[in-house]
Amino acid sequence: MAARSQETAFSPNGQYFANVSTDSRLKIWECESGRAKQEFIPASHLSAACTCLVWAPSKQPEQSGNQSKKKRKSNGEEATGVAGSDIIALGTASGNILLYSLNRAELVHQLKGGHAGKVRSLCWNQDGSSLFSASSEKKIVEWDAVEGVIKCQWKVDKNPIFRMCMLQDNCTLVTAGRSIQCWNVETRSIVATFTGHTTDVAHLLPVYSPGAKGGYFLTAADADRCISAWRFVGEEKNGQSQASFTLQDDPLNFTVSRPISDKDPVVLAAVTVTGILHVFEHHLNGRSKKPLQPIVKIHIGSDVAGTARPLPVLSAYACGDADGNCVIVYGSLVRPGFEKMCYRNQDGMAYIVRRDPSSVDHSKSDVTSSALKLRTPILPADVKTLAPEYMVPMPASSEVGVAVGRKRRTQNSESNSGLVSAKDSLPMEQRLSALNLDKAVDAVAPPQADNMAQLLLQGLHSRDPKILQSVLDRGDAQIIGNTIRRIPVQAILPLILELTRMMQFRGHPNYSYAKWLRSLLEHHAGYLTSCPDLASVLTPLLALMTARTSLFPKLSQLRGRLHLMLGELEHRSEKEDATTTELPATALLVYREESSDEASEEGDWPLQSGSESEDQWDELSDYGENMDVNEAKDDSEQETDDENNSEEIDEEVEEASDNDIESVVENGLSD
């Protein structure tokens, strides 16, 4: 569960308001006057921070008169006032519990030895005699607030406990983590369970109803824009909620009134993290089918001139009276403002303007001009000031002495008035510039939406894919950075899960999703390193990226080889272009054929007439035919010579073979 920065609580009667700051300083304010009544700083406030705060229940009338004088000893060991509403119990990160008395303005008890881990929640029983505490060790301890000792303790289930409260019957203890369980204090056993919420329960408050309509309690969880009402009526498993109160944003804190009779409704005053007060009125008499809407929403803004800065509502106390009053705390916890107003006089959406309590009111200061050493210069009456028109002070109507209805003013009346018009004192350059119609008019630039944090949070809460896609598809780095810086830490893990789901689809939007994821990791790395669920959230994303980038080395190798091939081809083409010589643009030699007339005149042509040319052509043709005949004869003679040579060779071979045979026969006979 996300840790809250500051714990606040009203006293049971709404007279005082207590809050624990981030440095574990306890401050108590008086609601009627708005003054700081007390401030308590624990000895180990820096090493052991305060983690929870709860007031003791109101003192019963019959108990107030039975206090004996023996309990008022000088050694301060009286019953520590635990039966009264002036005791505040503070849980610390070291496991100790501090009991502070408002009437005595001192620490009256320190409960030790019950827890070794951080105390997560505290609650009192109805008479204030017992105090219950739950820690990160998944253990519940019941303390005797009078003696400061442990009555009993027991282990709970495996899930941690974040909030506890005691119901109206004073014997049923409700514990809430993600599931809700009801314990019997006497037997220390579970008597009922409820479905609970999907996230950790951050707020738990009992509802005290008159008569037999008891057993109601209210819960609210982190990142859940509603408050659920439950009822314990006996042994039950997986009980369902009885009603749901719808809020505009996550609840910061809420209080509930105590009805006097059955006819009075339960008044719920809930404050959201955006500083808006929601007031509900409802009769808890069964299951409600529809979510309940607030009867009024109250916004508070500052009255500073020129700016409209909202003043957030810090907490509210529902008085539950017939007039419909509630106490509102607004501004800053360093110097808060208190006001008691009637919410029934407001409309459905009320906007209230109030002075910022943290601002200094200069109108009530007694600082005079003499203390500031300011002196007004004394000027004679006949001084003529030469200055632009907007710097000249306008004279009063009584000093002008000229009738307003007159259209013309004579020179004598102007001189008698002793006043010089500011326009007459302007130089000619400024007069001409004033007549320039092309002068650009100063216009207010339209507002620019440089972040989409609100729209992104709305999409995450409603899980609307259209809203999320319209936001996450944007790839502008400035819009992404501004949006990521403005989202709360509760929305970081849901945003990572949504980005992981959307990056599983293929396409070009994955590039913008990667930008969102990178900006998220850069700006919120500190929170992510401290998140215990980081491994389970980022493991699917890492597996997805590993699968997507498995082929990247092979693609890089292919890209490198293609780069080498293309580079080699470009180098060869450049080399060939360098070796080849380009033809000149103009020809080195131009031959022009002249006409036959000019050739006959100059005697260049050998043929003088057409008959001679024909004879020459005949001679050339006869010569060609003779050449063909001679070539044919040569070929025939060559063929005959070849045949004769082959016949002679055959005859020689036959003679040689006969001689060899004869020699062989002779040799055989001789043998």
Side-chain angles (χ1 to χ4, degrees), residues 610-665:
S611 60
E612 295 179 356
S613 63
E614 292 178 358
D615 296 338
Q616 290 179 357
W617 280 109
D618 294 337
E619 293 177 358
L620 292 173
S621 61
D622 296 339
Y623 177 75
E625 293 176 357
N626 296 330
M627 291 292 292
D628 295 334
V629 172
N630 295 331
E631 290 179 356
K633 291 180 179 180
D634 294 338
D635 294 336
S636 61
E637 293 176 356
Q638 182 69 26
E639 291 177 357
T640 55
D641 293 340
D642 293 337
E643 292 177 357
N644 295 331
N645 293 331
S646 62
E647 291 177 356
E648 293 176 356
I649 292 170
D650 294 336
E651 292 176 355
E652 292 177 356
V653 171
E654 290 178 357
E655 292 178 357
S657 61
D658 294 338
N659 294 330
D660 293 335
I661 293 171
E662 292 177 356
S663 62
V664 171
V665 172

Side-chain angles (χ1 to χ4, degrees), residues 595-614:
S595 62
S596 60
D597 297 338
E598 294 178 356
S600 61
E601 291 177 359
E602 296 178 359
D604 294 334
W605 294 95
L607 301 177
Q608 298 297 329
S609 62
S611 60
E612 295 179 356
S613 63
E614 292 178 358

Side-chain angles (χ1 to χ4, degrees), residues 165-362:
C165 73
M166 180 65 70
L167 294 184
Q168 188 174 352
D169 56 4
N170 203 25
C171 63
T172 304
L173 180 67
V174 181
T175 61
R178 288 192 176 182
S179 62
I180 302 173
Q181 299 174 344
C182 294
W183 298 76
N184 190 328
V185 179
E186 296 179 356
T187 61
R188 295 185 290 279
S189 61
I190 299 176
V191 294
T193 59
F194 298 88
T195 55
H197 300 264
T198 57
T199 56
D200 299 333
V201 175
H203 307 278
L204 175 62
L205 199 65
V207 179
Y208 300 99
S209 302
K213 292 169 44 178
Y216 284 97
F217 58 93
L218 305 177
T219 61
D222 289 333
D224 194 359
R225 294 182 293 177
C226 67
I227 299 174
S228 301
W230 314 79
R231 188 181 184 184
F232 169 71
V233 293
E235 295 185 1
E236 185 178 3
K237 293 184 178 180
N238 299 327
Q240 302 295 326
S241 62
Q242 300 294 316
S244 178
F245 301 89
T246 305
L247 301 177
Q248 186 174 348
D249 212 328
D250 298 343
L252 179 64
N253 54 66
F254 58 87
T255 59
V256 62
S257 64
R258 292 192 177 190
I260 300 175
S261 63
D262 295 340
K263 298 181 180 180
D264 296 334
V266 174
V267 181
L268 173 63
V271 179
T272 62
V273 293
T274 54
I276 302 174
L277 174 62
H278 298 64
V279 181
F280 300 84
E281 287 186 354
H282 181 65
H283 290 274
L284 294 173
N285 54 2
R287 180 171 297 179
S288 179
K289 297 182 180 179
K290 296 182 179 180
L292 303 177
Q293 300 295 330
I295 61 174
V296 63
K297 297 179 183 179
I298 298 178
H299 301 249
I300 300 180
S302 62
D303 59 349
V304 179
T307 57
R309 188 172 64 87
L311 294 176
V313 179
L314 304 175
S315 185
Y317 176 79
C319 299
D321 52 2
D323 297 334
N325 294 320
C326 64
V327 179
I328 299 177
V329 184
Y330 61 91
S332 173
L333 288 176
V334 178
R335 189 176 179 182
F338 296 85
E339 183 175 352
K340 186 176 183 180
M341 66 171 60
C342 180
Y343 60 85
R344 293 178 181 173
N345 296 334
Q346 308 295 334
D347 297 331
M349 184 74 72
Y351 295 90
I352 303 173
V353 179
R354 294 291 184 269
R355 183 181 64 87
D356 190 356
S358 60
S359 63
V360 180
D361 191 359
H362 297 283

Side-chain angles (χ1 to χ4, degrees), residues 69-208:
K69 295 182 180 180
K70 296 181 181 180
K71 294 184 180 180
R72 299 182 180 178
K73 299 179 181 180
S74 58
N75 55 4
E77 294 182 0
E78 56 177 342
T80 67
V82 292
S85 60
D86 67 314
I87 299 297
I88 302 175
L90 301 173
T92 62
S94 61
N96 299 332
I97 301 174
L98 309 179
L99 300 181
Y100 178 80
S101 174
L102 176 64
N103 295 336
R104 299 175 57 180
E106 63 179 2
L107 188 66
V108 295
H109 245 309
Q110 187 172 1
L111 309 180
K112 297 181 179 181
H115 302 284
K118 179 174 65 174
V119 178
R120 295 184 182 272
S121 180
L122 296 171
C123 73
W124 298 84
N125 61 353
Q126 297 299 322
D127 56 2
S129 59
S130 297
L131 177 67
F132 295 88
S133 62
S135 66
S136 57
E137 302 171 320
K138 304 173 186 179
K139 181 176 65 174
I140 298 176
V141 178
E142 182 181 1
W143 302 84
D144 187 347
V146 178
E147 302 294 336
V149 296
I150 298 176
K151 286 185 177 181
C152 62
Q153 56 183 346
W154 67 92
K155 284 282 186 178
V156 296
D157 57 358
K158 59 181 180 179
N159 296 322
I161 295 177
F162 297 107
R163 285 293 176 262
M164 294 190 309
C165 73
M166 180 65 70
L167 294 184
Q168 188 174 352
D169 56 4
N170 203 25
C171 63
T172 304
L173 180 67
V174 181
T175 61
R178 288 192 176 182
S179 62
I180 302 173
Q181 299 174 344
C182 294
W183 298 76
N184 190 328
V185 179
E186 296 179 356
T187 61
R188 295 185 290 279
S189 61
I190 299 176
V191 294
T193 59
F194 298 88
T195 55
H197 300 264
T198 57
T199 56
D200 299 333
V201 175
H203 307 278
L204 175 62
L205 199 65
V207 179
Y208 300 99

Side-chain angles (χ1 to χ4, degrees), residues 337-556:
F338 296 85
E339 183 175 352
K340 186 176 183 180
M341 66 171 60
C342 180
Y343 60 85
R344 293 178 181 173
N345 296 334
Q346 308 295 334
D347 297 331
M349 184 74 72
Y351 295 90
I352 303 173
V353 179
R354 294 291 184 269
R355 183 181 64 87
D356 190 356
S358 60
S359 63
V360 180
D361 191 359
H362 297 283
S363 61
K364 297 181 180 180
S365 58
D366 298 333
V367 180
T368 59
S369 60
S370 59
L372 296 177
K373 298 181 181 181
L374 297 179
R375 294 292 183 270
T376 303
I378 301 175
L379 300 177
D382 55 349
V383 173
K384 182 178 181 181
T385 304
L386 298 177
E389 181 179 4
Y390 63 89
M391 296 181 62
V392 177
M394 297 299 295
S397 59
S398 60
E399 296 178 355
V400 174
V402 181
V404 178
R406 296 178 62 181
K407 296 182 180 180
R408 297 180 61 186
R409 197 165 62 175
T410 60
Q411 185 176 1
N412 295 332
S413 62
E414 186 176 347
S415 60
N416 293 333
S417 63
L419 297 173
V420 180
S421 176
K423 291 184 178 181
D424 296 339
S425 62
L426 290 176
M428 183 60 66
E429 182 180 0
Q430 295 188 8
R431 295 184 188 181
L432 294 176
S433 62
L435 296 175
N436 186 12
L437 300 179
D438 298 334
K439 188 176 181 181
V441 180
D442 296 337
V444 179
Q448 296 181 355
D450 58 348
N451 71 90
M452 306 183 72
Q454 191 66 28
L455 188 60
L456 178 60
L457 294 176
Q458 182 180 355
L460 291 175
H461 284 304
S462 61
R463 296 180 181 178
D464 192 343
K466 294 183 179 180
I467 297 178
L468 292 173
Q469 189 174 1
S470 64
V471 175
L472 299 178
D473 284 348
R474 299 178 179 269
D476 190 358
Q478 183 179 2
I479 294 178
I480 293 174
N482 295 336
T483 304
I484 292 298
R485 281 192 292 267
R486 285 171 172 81
I487 61 174
V489 295
Q490 294 85 356
I492 294 176
L493 295 182
L495 179 57
I496 294 178
L497 295 176
E498 192 65 30
L499 287 172
T500 305
R501 184 187 66 81
M502 300 180 74
M503 289 181 69
Q504 293 177 355
F505 302 97
R506 298 182 181 274
H508 68 280
N510 286 336
Y511 180 63
S512 62
Y513 302 154
K515 286 186 176 181
W516 282 92
L517 184 60
R518 181 179 64 181
S519 180
L520 183 65
L521 296 177
E522 288 177 354
H523 290 89
H524 297 282
Y527 171 75
L528 291 174
T529 53
S530 62
C531 182
D533 300 333
L534 182 63
S536 60
V537 173
L538 294 183
T539 299
L541 184 62
L542 180 60
L544 176 63
M545 291 185 175
T546 304
R548 290 284 179 87
T549 58
S550 60
L551 298 177
F552 182 74
K554 297 182 180 179
L555 291 176
S556 299

Side-chain angles (χ1 to χ4, degrees), residues 56-71:
S58 299
K59 186 184 298 185
Q60 300 296 332
E62 64 271 13
Q63 291 177 352
S64 60
N66 295 332
Q67 299 291 336
S68 64
K69 295 182 180 180
K70 296 181 181 180
K71 294 184 180 180

